[in-house]
Each structure stands twice: as C-alpha cells, then as structure tokens.
Amino acid sequence: MLGGAPGDHRQVRDSSVKASGEDWVVDVTRYPVAACLAVAAILLFLIPGMARAQETEVPPPAALGSEDAMGSPTSGAASTRRDTASDAVDDAIREIKTKEGGRVDVLGRRRDAVQAWRACIDRRYGLSFGINYTVLYQRASRGRGPLDAAVGDLDLFARWRAFGKDDFDAGTLYAYTEWRHRLGTDIAPFNLSKSLGTLHETTTGFTEQPFAVTQFYWEQDWGRGRWTAQLGKIDPALSFFGNRINNVNAYFVGFPFSDSPAVFFPGAALGANLTYRFSDSWDLKVGVQDANGEKLGDAFETIQEGELWWSGQLRHTRCIRGLGMGNYRAGRWYTEPRSEPERPDGGGFVVSLDQELGRPGAVGFVRYEWQSDPLESARQGVGAPRQGLVPSRQALRVGAVLDGLIPSRAWRDDVFGLGASLSEPYDDRLRDEYLLEAFWRFQLAPDVQLTPSYQLFIDPANNRAASTISVFSIRFRLLL
C-alpha cells in the first residue's frame, strides 16, 4: 500500500457500543477543543529548525517529469512533483535508489550489486520495480471485542517507460499489486474500530485481502511536460486532494491523516485523469472514475452501469521566503445519482495545503473536507450500514512532520510527526470525534524502518461510555 489504501469501503457502525477494560491515560476530554488548539500551537510555533530558507525557483514544467525533481515527500523537491497517482510508485522507486542511513547494514555489498543491476535494466529498457512489505500491529486500551490486531501487507510495483525514456514526453505503464494477511490475531487493524466504537478506522487499508492487481494504467506526457493523461485501472484517492504526508506506510497511521474522512472515493477501477500545467506554479487536474468500482471487482462489469465519479483540483506551488516550498490545493468532487438507494451520491469539496517550515525536513499541513449528505433522500435510520458511506459530514486535520531530530549520523533519517483531527458525523445523535496522533519513525537499516505510533481518540462517536480510547501501533517496513 503506497500512499494509503483508498477504495476500502467504510460503513457507519451501530452507536450502541459498550466499553470494557481500563483506559491508559488521564481523562482530557473536559477541554477537547483546547487540546487540539494546543497541539496546533506546538506545530506552528515550537518546531525547531525554523531558520530562514533561501528563496529558490520552481523548476519549469519540462523538469517536472524527471525523477530527480520528484524528491522525497519531506524534501523541497517534493513540491515540484507532478501530483498524480504515479507519484506513489515514483516516490518508492526513488527511495529504493537513494536509501541510506540506519545503524545496521545487513545486505552491504549485495545491495550495491542489486542496485547496479537494476540501474542497468532501467537504462536499457526503462523498467524499474520494487517490493514493499509492511507489518502493522495495533493494541487498544478498551472496547467491546478484540483489542489487538495485526496484518502483513506485501506490495509489488513496477514502472515501464516504454518510449521517450530520455525526454519528458514519455509514455509509461504502471502496475501495482497487493496481498494482505492477518498475523496471529482475530481481526485486522482496519476492523479494530468496530470493537472501539470510533467514528473512523484506526488505520487505512490494513485488512485481509487476496493477491490482486489493484492498479494498472498508462500515463502519457506531451507538450514538454505541460500535459499528463492517465487511463486504466486507477486509484482516485492517490490522484486527488492529498499532501506530501499522505502515506500510511511511511508517516501517520491513523485514518484521518492517511485517508479522507469526508470524501467518498470509489475503489480503484476504470478511470481517466488529465493534468494541464499553466505555468511553473499552477496546474489543473480533472478526472472521471467508475463510481461503483472496487479494486477486487471486475472493472469492466461495473463500468457498464454508467454511474460516474467526477473530480477536479487546482494546485499552486510557491516558495515563501523564510519558510520554503509549499503546495496549496482546492478541489471539488461529485458522484452521479445512483440506481440503488443504498449507494452514496452527492458531492463535496476539499482544501489541502502542505508547507515547509524553515527547512526541507520540516513540513506542516492543514486539510479540510466537507460533503453533502450522500443518502438524505433514502436514509435508513441511525447507524444503518450503507455501502461505501463515509460517515463524516466534515473533517479538519492539522499537523507537521520533522526529520533529523536525532543528531547521530546513524539515525539521521528519523522522522517525527504530530497531528490533530476533528470529525463531525452525519448523525446528529453522535458527538464530534477528536483524534491526536504522534509517531516517530526510525531508519534501522537502509531497507528497514520501525515506527511506533500513539493515537488518542477523544469522545469516540459511537461509544458514549468511553471518554478516551488509546491505540498504540508498531509498524515495520521493508522496502527492496
């Protein structure tokens, strides 16, 4: 799962969840809004390294197609990425080629030999590929059912630049596969929220899933990089309304930070996207997708129903003197009326920004989402399951990540993140839900990352018996 696991259907759960067990933390719910504002103040004013950055120019559109311009998600170069679904694969391939750091290097010279072999294949045939294996274990403080969950996620991905390898108007084929399996627990982390009574899942996409080709599409650039088109089986949530930190494998674990609490994204299915870059700093992207698509379903069968999901996004990139590069996005999405009343329709809008905070390794983000009631004309009662329904009317997230907190050279690639989220449910009988999350990612080896994460749910919407619920996570990632 690169950049999140969109397309997994989410449902409103029954509100009569009873809590059991003891909470691990002091009750802070008397002042939830104050807690979120305090976190925001920390993020905006107390992050170290706010030295003035030298103003730089955004590369021209022709440079946006080059891999050197992609950068890591927390680097300045990341601001110049093309902001398309292919960024997830491109970032992973770039990370494989440039990875370093960590206290242990098990592969050593063998890695160098493999990297040289891969580079030769890339030069000759334009083919790059990789393997990502991620394990996530979560343990909750209280709930009515199982309190722990674990899943392993194996991803295979490839990029073949069939022609135009040496210029920017390239034709590229992208392929991406997933296989997920439970690891000794009764449930998967994606289903843990049913035991807790939280509005949203405790993570994104870490559920049981058979091996499947989840994305397979062609990407074509032309006009010296000003135009980019994609056609095939595409995950729309990797194409629209994201930010540099939208990657559940590498950054925040919690659902509100790694997915979209108030956006209905159809699953990866047949679709098309078109991006036009007006200038060095402005681009417009539009897309259309099968609204009934599911990444494990038959893409050619559901598209025949003729119900579509439309989206558009305007992005501006800019360097602010003293801060650095930033991405500012505003978008709109709309789902056509459905033939079956239990399927959500309607639309909404998203405002998303990410901004460097004085140096490339420090990035702050803010994201707001709102959507209309997707089933107002066919409401089935409080807590009734609805296929693919996103339970939030609106959601707000604010946070930041900072790398290089540990001065040691062996730990130089560590990343720390802190975020706060507020979600308002559709059901007026349910209370607003707050979430605080902190994570710290350690680079144990050039190929291995270990990330502890702590989530504090305040006023879980479907569990009035609990004022707070804690979820502790450990994530292990191997990228080859």
Side-chain angles (χ1 to χ4, degrees):
M1 200 171 19
L2 299 177
D8 295 309
H9 283 186
R10 301 177 285 273
Q11 296 180 343
V12 175
R13 291 171 292 277
D14 188 86
S15 59
S16 59
V17 180
K18 297 182 179 179
S20 63
E22 297 295 328
D23 206 351
W24 296 349
V25 297
V26 178
D27 185 0
V28 297
T29 57
R30 293 182 60 188
Y31 311 103
V33 176
C36 288
L37 292 176
V39 170
I42 293 173
L43 297 174
L44 293 175
F45 300 110
L46 300 184
I47 290 181
M50 294 291 288
R52 295 181 63 85
Q54 296 298 321
E55 187 170 3
T56 58
E57 295 183 358
V58 179
L64 296 182
S66 64
E67 187 162 276
D68 292 339
M70 299 297 178
S72 66
T74 56
S75 71
S79 298
T80 65
R81 298 188 305 164
R82 291 174 298 174
D83 208 34
T84 65
S86 56
D87 282 340
V89 175
D90 289 335
D91 285 344
I93 290 174
R94 176 210 48 77
E95 187 174 351
I96 291 173
K97 292 181 177 180
T98 61
K99 59 189 175 184
E100 56 184 4
R103 297 189 62 87
V104 181
D105 190 354
V106 178
L107 297 180
R109 293 182 179 178
R110 287 185 288 271
R111 176 189 298 102
D112 296 336
V114 171
Q115 295 288 60
W117 172 68
R118 282 178 164 174
C120 181
I121 292 178
D122 193 5
R123 286 194 303 270
R124 288 187 178 182
Y125 309 109
L127 178 64
S128 300
F129 54 90
I131 301 173
N132 181 88
Y133 184 68
T134 307
V135 173
L136 179 67
Y137 172 80
Q138 291 189 314
R139 172 75 183 184
S141 61
R142 60 194 305 176
R144 66 173 184 178
L147 298 181
D148 61 344
V151 152
D153 171 34
L154 176 64
D155 305 326
L156 309 177
F157 50 91
R159 178 189 67 195
W160 178 42
R161 286 178 175 165
F163 58 85
K165 296 187 289 294
D166 298 325
D167 58 41
F168 301 106
D169 291 345
T172 309
L173 182 67
Y174 286 88
Y176 182 52
T177 70
E178 297 176 354
W179 174 57
R180 302 172 188 161
H181 57 96
R182 278 188 296 121
L183 290 172
T185 57
D186 294 333
I187 61 174
F190 188 75
N191 303 119
L192 185 60
S193 60
K194 297 178 181 179
S195 297
L196 311 184
T198 56
L199 184 66
H200 297 294
E201 286 73 18
T202 57
T203 188
T204 301
F206 281 93
T207 184
E208 289 187 275
Q209 177 184 300
F211 180 83
V213 178
T214 55
Q215 293 196 86
F216 192 82
Y217 59 91
W218 182 265
E219 180 177 281
Q220 182 64 54
D221 296 329
W222 73 93
R224 297 292 295 172
R226 286 202 175 273
W227 293 89
T228 299
Q230 296 172 324
L231 178 65
K233 186 174 184 180
I234 304 174
D235 190 336
L238 296 179
S239 299
F240 293 91
F241 317 138
N243 57 45
R244 282 186 255 183
I245 327 296
N246 247 150
N247 188 335
V248 71
N249 282 341
Y251 298 102
F252 290 94
V253 174
F255 182 93
F257 304 106
S258 56
D259 210 304
S260 301
V263 176
F264 167 69
F265 281 114
L270 291 181
N273 297 327
L274 180 64
T275 302
Y276 177 70
R277 298 173 183 88
F278 298 98
S279 65
D280 298 353
S281 57
W282 288 94
D283 62 64
L284 175 67
K285 177 167 47 181
V286 294
V288 60
Q289 193 90 8
D290 177 11
N292 299 320
E294 297 183 12
K295 62 182 176 181
L296 300 182
D298 186 341
F300 292 96
E301 179 180 351
T302 55
I303 192 67
Q304 298 179 21
E305 300 180 31
E307 298 172 352
L308 302 176
W309 182 86
W310 300 83
S311 56
Q313 172 185 286
L314 182 66
R315 182 180 70 143
H316 176 54
T317 61
R318 157 170 203 188
C319 180
I320 299 179
R321 189 174 184 85
L323 289 178
M325 296 303 302
N327 294 292
Y328 314 96
R329 305 172 181 88
R332 182 81 163 85
W333 60 272
Y334 172 74
T335 307
E336 294 180 349
R338 318 298 286 276
S339 58
E340 299 182 17
E342 70 275 8
R343 291 177 175 176
D345 53 22
F349 67 88
V350 179
V351 177
S352 175
L353 66 89
D354 56 80
Q355 173 66 56
E356 288 179 358
L357 302 176
R359 64 183 182 90
V363 178
F365 64 91
V366 177
R367 184 170 171 178
Y368 174 77
E369 303 166 358
W370 176 90
Q371 68 169 338
S372 60
D373 191 335
L375 289 173
E376 184 175 4
S377 61
R379 186 161 297 281
Q380 302 175 10
V382 177
R386 306 176 180 97
Q387 180 181 351
L389 178 61
V390 180
S392 290
R393 176 182 289 110
Q394 57 183 336
L396 173 67
R397 284 97 77 208
V398 58
V401 298
L402 177 68
D403 67 6
L405 286 181
I406 302 178
S408 169
R409 179 177 177 83
W411 295 106
R412 61 183 175 181
D413 291 328
D414 70 299
V415 178
F416 175 78
L418 188 64
S421 169
L422 166 63
S423 297
E424 177 189 352
Y426 277 111
D427 191 344
D428 293 334
R429 303 182 191 184
L430 303 180
R431 55 188 178 180
D432 295 348
E433 182 173 283
Y434 301 84
L435 173 63
L436 304 177
E437 181 179 355
F439 75 89
W440 202 332
R441 191 185 79 198
F442 300 96
Q443 193 77 34
L444 302 184
D447 315 286
V448 179
Q449 298 171 349
L450 185 68
T451 307
S453 166
Y454 175 75
Q455 298 179 66
L456 176 63
F457 289 89
I458 303 174
D459 292 343
N462 288 296
N463 188 351
R464 288 191 173 274
S467 57
T468 60
I469 296 178
S470 300
V471 177
F472 178 76
S473 305
I474 288 288
R475 181 182 60 207
F476 171 86
R477 186 190 188 198
L478 176 66
L479 183 62
L480 297 173

